[in-house]
């Protein structure tokens, strides 16, 4: 495998790699815990989504924009970020679903073109890529579409600039997905995501064009962050400095980690009146500052430390843990049977929940001891 998209990247030298790609997770397992199979499947999923962008961008230019395309790509690219999803089986399902969405984008583009008397283009690259049907075969395909696939031909500067754009787009998609979950989107942000996908699908090689596009993508990112801010404040009120309890209270308990305020709200709604206290963990801490979330009386406080402390914190927590968005580290045996994932998150063998039905997590909280002693 080869991956160098995050701050956890292996900083030791990777022999045989030119200058700027000399560092990265290049063994059978990344520092985040991602294995080579998952890394390859993620690269293929991204490649298929570039194909969605090729068709969606052209459909938009012809007046046939469809918000499903940017939303789908945002979710998929989010799953490929660090510490989000490690489940190869789930990635195979996502790849199949992405092919179906690409087919729909193709149909939208071709129908829009013919409606104005224009013969649709026959697109190549990601637009026509056919994923294999088995994990091993898809992994083999990844060698031709991965983040370092053209390194020997194009060199580290061009490949590095491509990945600057790709990793920037992944961040844009993560913010966009959080906003989409709350019902917020804009034509500008949808169009920016589709345009970026289409740009990368063209396998650009001009350094100046790549750098210029990276700067343009930065502008899209600002628009997406404005959209997410509107989504969060519009849904939960403007955040204010708020005291947060950091010691437990007696009672049944659920711990919520990650970033997704939408999922936290769903958990709070589902547990209201059930005698279960909800605690935040790690980067979910800011949720307490939003008035409409703070108003839930059973949002009891924050438990534990930062995301990297989770293996210790989750082991000690006397109830189920729900992992939203990213920040997941390999679940330990001590709590593997009581941790759940939602949204883009996944780990092999860990139960995945739809927030429309949280009954399994609620039953787990009711059956586990919770906190039996209150700490002032």
């Amino acid at each position: 495998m080869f991956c160098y998209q995050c701050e956890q990247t292996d900083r030791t030298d990777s022999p045989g790699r030119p200058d700027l790609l000399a560092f990265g997770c290049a063994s059978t397992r990344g520092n985040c815990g991602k294995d080579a199979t998952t890394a390859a499947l993620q690269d293929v999923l991204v490649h298929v989504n570039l194909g969605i962008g090729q068709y969606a961008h052209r459909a938009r230019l012809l007046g046939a924009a469809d918000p499903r395309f940017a939303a789908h790509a945002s979710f998929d690219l989010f799953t490929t970020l660090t510490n989000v999803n490690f489940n190869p089986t789930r990635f195979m399902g996502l790849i199949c679903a992405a092919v179906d969405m690409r087919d729909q984008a193709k149909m939208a583009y071709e129908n829009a073109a013919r409606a104005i008397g224009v013969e649709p283009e026959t697109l190549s690259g990601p637009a026509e890529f056919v994923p294999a049907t088995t994990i091993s075969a898809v992994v083999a395909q990844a060698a031709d579409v991965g983040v370092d696939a053209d390194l020997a031909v194009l060199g580290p500067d061009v490949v590095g600039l491509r990945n600057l754009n790709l990793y920037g787009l992944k961040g844009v998609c993560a913010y966009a997905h959080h906003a989409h979950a709350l019902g917020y989107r804009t034509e500008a942000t949808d169009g920016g995501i589709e345009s970026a996908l289409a740009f990368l699908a063209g396998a650009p090689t001009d350094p100046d064009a790549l750098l210029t596009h990276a700067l343009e993508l930065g502008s899209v990112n600002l628009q997406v962050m404005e959209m997410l801010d509107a989504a969060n404040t519009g849904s939960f009120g403007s955040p204010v400095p708020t005291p947060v309890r950091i010691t437990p209270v007696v009672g049944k308990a659920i711990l919520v980690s990650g970033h997704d305020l939408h999922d936290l709200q769903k958990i709070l709604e589902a547990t209201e009146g059930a005698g279960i206290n909800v605690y935040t963990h790690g980067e979910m801490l800011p949720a307490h500052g939003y008035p409409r979330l703070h108003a839930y009386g059973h949002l009891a406080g924050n438990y534990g430390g930062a995301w990297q402390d989770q293996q210790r914190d989750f082991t000690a927590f006397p109830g189920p843990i729900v992992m939203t968005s990213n920040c997941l580290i390999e679940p330990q045996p001590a709590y593997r049977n009581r941790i759940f994932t939602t949204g883009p998150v996944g780990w092999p063998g860990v139960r995945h929940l739809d927030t429309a039905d949280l009954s399994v997590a609620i039953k787990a909280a009711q059956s586990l001891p919770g906190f039996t002693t209150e700490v002032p």
Side-chain angles (χ1 to χ4, degrees):
M1 68 176 285
F2 180 72
C3 180
Y4 68 150
Q5 76 170 335
C6 78
E7 76 280 2
Q8 295 179 52
T9 291
D10 187 354
R11 307 305 297 175
T12 58
D13 184 54
S14 299
R17 292 195 171 273
D19 299 333
L20 297 183
L21 296 191
F23 300 108
C25 295
S27 65
T28 57
R29 186 178 178 90
N31 285 341
C32 70
K34 179 170 63 178
D35 62 25
T37 295
T38 301
L41 295 175
Q42 289 178 351
D43 286 345
V44 171
L45 178 63
V46 169
H47 194 67
V48 177
N49 273 273
L50 298 185
I52 294 175
Q54 286 177 277
Y55 290 116
H57 176 62
R58 286 166 172 79
R60 178 174 293 276
L61 293 178
L62 295 177
D66 188 325
R68 294 178 303 152
F69 303 141
H72 188 100
S74 294
F75 180 89
D76 278 3
L77 265 65
F78 195 169
T79 66
T80 71
L81 281 169
T82 307
N83 294 97
V84 178
N85 198 314
F86 302 79
N87 191 333
T89 302
R90 191 152 169 232
F91 275 111
M92 286 296 289
L94 291 173
I95 290 168
C96 290
V99 169
D100 180 66
M101 186 58 66
R102 187 184 61 186
D103 289 344
Q104 294 181 51
K106 178 182 180 180
M107 183 180 299
Y109 161 62
E110 292 180 345
N111 288 344
R114 292 189 176 108
I116 59 172
V118 174
E119 185 62 25
E121 296 178 66
T122 299
L123 303 182
S124 59
E128 62 176 1
F129 174 77
V130 180
T133 57
T134 65
I135 289 179
S136 60
V138 174
V139 169
Q141 290 179 313
D144 296 324
V145 301
V147 296
D148 60 343
D150 296 326
L151 180 60
V153 176
L154 300 176
D157 290 343
V158 170
V159 172
L161 283 167
R162 282 184 181 177
N163 288 331
L164 175 66
N165 279 271
L166 174 59
Y167 297 155
L169 178 57
K170 288 187 180 189
V172 166
C173 287
Y175 290 132
H177 171 70
H178 283 306
H180 295 160
L182 294 169
Y184 283 70
R185 52 168 294 278
T186 70
E187 294 295 336
T189 55
D190 284 357
I193 290 168
E194 293 165 359
S195 175
L197 291 165
F199 174 77
L200 286 170
T205 59
D206 178 44
D208 290 336
L210 283 159
L211 183 56
T212 297
H213 187 269
L215 296 173
E216 293 172 353
L217 189 58
S219 297
V220 175
N221 186 56
L222 290 176
Q223 294 175 320
V224 169
M225 292 179 72
E226 289 175 352
M227 177 176 68
L228 178 57
D229 179 64
N232 286 339
T233 57
S235 301
F236 308 117
S238 297
V240 295
T242 303
V244 180
R245 185 184 179 106
I246 58 173
T247 56
V249 296
V250 172
K252 305 292 186 179
I254 287 180
L255 186 62
V256 185
S257 192
H259 297 89
D260 200 301
L261 299 181
H262 172 266
D263 283 4
L264 175 62
Q265 182 188 39
K266 291 296 184 183
I267 292 166
L268 288 167
E269 290 174 349
T271 53
E272 194 166 24
I276 300 170
N277 292 317
V278 176
Y279 296 83
T280 58
H281 177 270
E283 294 172 27
M284 191 63 83
L285 172 63
H288 294 268
Y290 288 92
R292 288 171 203 156
L293 295 175
H294 185 69
Y296 285 93
H298 61 301
L299 182 59
N302 191 77
Y303 178 88
W307 67 270
Q308 64 265 24
D309 297 331
Q310 67 185 253
Q311 291 176 329
R312 178 194 67 201
D313 294 340
F314 293 176
T315 295
F317 189 77
I321 304 105
V322 180
M323 205 77 204
T324 73
S325 66
N326 44 329
C327 300
L328 179 63
I329 299 177
E330 180 174 5
Q332 297 300 293
Y335 58 86
R336 190 179 288 251
N337 65 345
R338 53 185 174 88
I339 186 171
F340 305 91
T341 60
T342 65
V345 193
W347 190 280
V350 169
R351 286 170 289 183
H352 189 76
L353 302 179
D354 185 330
T355 52
D357 182 8
L358 294 163
S359 58
V360 174
I362 292 172
K363 289 176 181 177
Q366 291 169 335
S367 65
L368 290 164
F371 290 103
T372 56
T373 303
E374 184 165 322
V375 179

